[in-house]
């Protein structure tokens, strides 16, 4: 028994109880609501009484020492400290002036009288033998990045992998994750998008056939056993604390991660002391690039796609007052002729729209030309099926909001952005959208056009960056 | 005038409310949601029915709103309709009586959602009733609803109700069973008149 306990555990006064592995495995590294666990209430209370689970209030109230005795709140689940998102109210449960956090409310409300529980009992050692079932071949740049990432994990320092869309960045992670698992470390791959979790999970499952891995996203099913490898949305990290020895954030430039302070903090709170974090992105923010320099992170840069061809460069085409025309029930002629060309070439196409409303107005107009054209948006329950239909050439084209800006690969896809000047199309969104084109080695080139009502700085930045990457890719790397 | 929130409580878009002379002079409450969100709520058509007055229709956004407020327990959303509720109730002469919750349910929810709507709108009210059943009316068949014995009992003395005009308040009017139970009890006790006001009507 003693041999199985990890050295980090100090021996507390545990009262002797038989630990049920499924309860221990569930709670290790988690921070959970006391009254809402998948186990019977009496059992949870028993573990609390024996000090295997410890309790913490969900909201910490800090009273400032000055005259005004101002109160500051902090949420212990999502680590939110934005005071505007704390709401005080007369609570009928604790019969006091209570407070709750709005930031993570869609995962169940946390108030001051909500108890959170964390595992404080012994933790078994994790498995050291994991199989890596992957026989793909790396380009030189991929191999170098992969080795650099392993070195950073070994040195316990943070790492940035800056890889262009289509560089094959998921594969780069496989050897590093394998290395960490074999050292008996617990690894988390987190990403802001549920779609990306759903895409990554089966790939990791295939590559790590004898590793227990879990996928966590809003509405994910209960999964048995202790997962040494976790694939999760960044939102789900709110439910973990000091859990992982290695954290990898994939698509670290995606919404809402970039605009949500609490999500960014969550990445840090789920790692064990000073555990390394790796960020993988095609469009690193200035903030991250300066952290790389100042904090001496590891840094890998892959400016070239795995197939060796340059990134397709977007064309800018004016489409004046497109929204007024669509509102009046007419498609702009340039857009019609762009689409007709794709139909003639029998090349699948994606057309991005800035809003659902505009897209829904435009959909029937496109359908007048080809009734098989359909549209998709974030809340569409059939969105996976619709992408599959495009991939299988059952439909000629798909209209979409920014939801499909990343994570999808369709052979020979041609892309147009309508209203590229809209606020929602940031330079990184536009780079991602452009990155959908030419990913397949048989069709390494393709059409990417930004239809606009005036060129924005974001559009310029996106184009400049793609040109710069292409230049770097051909000067620096020889495959 | 101090702004209470800087972002829309429903969609989180920044609120750039202009403080106009009109808002200053009429002393309207600061906005809690943006214009886009506000436009999605639909008013309930004024039917001339004086027995039951309702402000809004039960459309998709209202469904979402009620879910966040009542079931996700986002108490602050009580303030979303405060201006409209205030204007509708402030001049009423009847005694305002909110439909109560069962004490066990109240502890679970941690707040009385009807009371909170009134508090947010700065409307005085009195608790005349106690809820004596935990079941919700929506889960029953029509038959069951009609034959259900009284779901409320009187919380105050008969004198307080006798000859009074009473305005019952509820969040949503679906089948009318809840309101009619409360109404019958109050009329039997000797109230002069009992009408109803709900935020939503299906
Ligand atoms: Zn929170
Ligand atoms: Zn409380
Ligand atoms: Zn809004």
């Amino acid at each position: 028994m003693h041999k199985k306990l990890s050295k980090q555990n100090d021996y507390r006064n545990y009262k002797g109880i038989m630990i049920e592995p499924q309860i221990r495995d569930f709670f290790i590294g988690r921070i959970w609501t006391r009254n809402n666990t998948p186990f019977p209430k009496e059992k949870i209370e028993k573990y609390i009484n024996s000090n295997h689970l410890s309790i913490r209030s969900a909201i910490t109230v800090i009273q400032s020492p000055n005259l005004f005795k101002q109160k500051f709140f902090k949420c212990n689940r999502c680590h939110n400290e934005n005071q505007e998102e704390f709401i005080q109210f007369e609570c009928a449960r604790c019969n006091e002036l209570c407070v709750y956090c709005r930031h993570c409310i869609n995962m169940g409300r946390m108030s001051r009288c909500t108890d959170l529980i964390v595992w404080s009992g012994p933790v078994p050692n994790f498995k050291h033998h994991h199989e890596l079932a992957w026989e793909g071949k790396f380009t030189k740049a991929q191999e170098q990045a992969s080795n650099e990432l392993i070195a950073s994990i070994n040195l316990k320092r943070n790492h940035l992998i800056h890889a262009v869309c289509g560089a094959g960045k998921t594969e780069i992670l496989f050897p590093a994750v394998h290395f960490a698992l074999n050292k008996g470390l617990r690894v988390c791959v987190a990403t802001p998008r549920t779609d990306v979790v759903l895409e990554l999970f089966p790939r990791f499952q295939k590559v790590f056939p004898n590793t227990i891995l879990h996928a966590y996203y809003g509405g994910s099913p209960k999964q048995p056993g202790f997962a040494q490898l976790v694939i999760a949305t960044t939102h789900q990290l709110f439910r973990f604390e000091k859990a992982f020895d290695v954290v990898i954030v994939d698509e670290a430039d995606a919404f809402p991660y970039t605009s949500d302070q609490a999500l960014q903090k969550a990445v840090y709170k789920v790692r064990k002391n000073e555990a390394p974090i790796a960020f993988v992105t095609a469009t690193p923010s200035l903030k991250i690039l300066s952290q790389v320099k100042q904090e001496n992170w590891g840094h890998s840069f892959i400016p070239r796609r795995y197939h060796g061809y340059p990134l397709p460069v977007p064309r800018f085409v004016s489409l004046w007052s497109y929204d007024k025309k669509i509102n009046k029930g007419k498609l702009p002629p340039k857009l019609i002729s762009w689409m007709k060309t794709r139909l003639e070439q029998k090349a699948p196409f994606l057309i991005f729209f800035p809003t659902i409303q505009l897209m829904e107005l435009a959909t029937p107009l496109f359908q007048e030309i080809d009734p098989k054209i359909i549209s998709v948006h974030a809340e569409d329950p059939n969105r996976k099926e619709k992408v599959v239909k495009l991939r299988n050439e059952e439909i000629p084209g798909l209209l979409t909001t920014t939801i499909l800006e990343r994570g999808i690969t369709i052979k020979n896809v041609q892309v147009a952005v309508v209203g590229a000047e809209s606020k929602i199309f940031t330079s990184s969104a536009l780079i991602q959208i452009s990155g959908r084109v030419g990913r397949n080695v048989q069709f390494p080139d393709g059409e990417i056009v930004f239809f606009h009502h005036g060129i924005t700085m974001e559009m310029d930045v996106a184009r400049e960056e793609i040109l710069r990457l292409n230049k770097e890719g051909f000067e620096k790397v020889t495959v | 005038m101090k702004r209470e929130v800087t972002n829309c409580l429903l969609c989180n878009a920044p609120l750039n409310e202009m403080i106009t002379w009109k808002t200053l002079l009429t002393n309207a409450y600061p906005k809690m949601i943006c214009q886009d969100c506000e436009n999605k709520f639909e008013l309930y058509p004024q039917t001339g029915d004086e027995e039951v007055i309702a402000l809004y229709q039960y459309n998709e956004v209202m469904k979402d709103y009620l879910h966040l407020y009542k079931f996700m327990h986002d108490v602050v959303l009580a303030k979303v309709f405060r201006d409209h509720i205030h204007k509708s109730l402030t001049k009423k002469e009847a005694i305002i009586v909110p439909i109560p919750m069962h004490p066990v349910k109240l502890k679970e929810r941690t707040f009385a959602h009807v009371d909170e709507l009134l508090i947010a709108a700065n409307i005085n009210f009195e608790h005349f009733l106690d809820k004596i059943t935990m079941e919700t009316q929506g889960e029953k068949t029509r038959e069951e609803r009609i034959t259900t014995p009284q779901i409320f009992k009187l919380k105050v003395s008969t004198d307080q109700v006798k000859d009074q005009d009473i305005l019952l308040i509820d969040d949503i009017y679906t089948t009318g069973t809840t309101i009619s139970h409360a109404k019958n009890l109050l009329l039997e006790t000797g109230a002069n008149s009992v009408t109803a006001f709900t935020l939503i009507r299906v």
Side-chain angles (χ1 to χ4, degrees), chain A residues 84-85 87 89-95 100 102 105-109 111 113 357, chain B residues 4-10 72-77 106-111 116:
Chain A
E84 198 180 280
E85 289 178 301
I87 307 297
F89 72 109
E90 288 296 337
C91 177
R93 184 166 57 204
C94 62
N95 293 316
Y100 68 91
R102 285 197 90 219
I105 195 165
N106 54 13
M107 301 176 97
R109 194 187 73 178
S111 68
C113 58
Q357 291 96 304
Chain B
E4 281 188 70
V5 291
T6 53
N7 293 70
C8 171
L9 287 182
L10 297 178
M72 300 303 283
H73 306 168
D74 200 358
V75 190
V76 73
L77 296 184
L106 176 61
K107 261 213 142 60
E108 271 173 29
R109 186 167 289 159
T110 74
F111 66 104
E116 290 295 333

Side-chain angles (χ1 to χ4, degrees), chain A residues 58 180 276 284 309 376 411 422 469:
Chain A
Y309 293 92
V376 66
K411 203 162 142 183
S422 307
L469 289 168

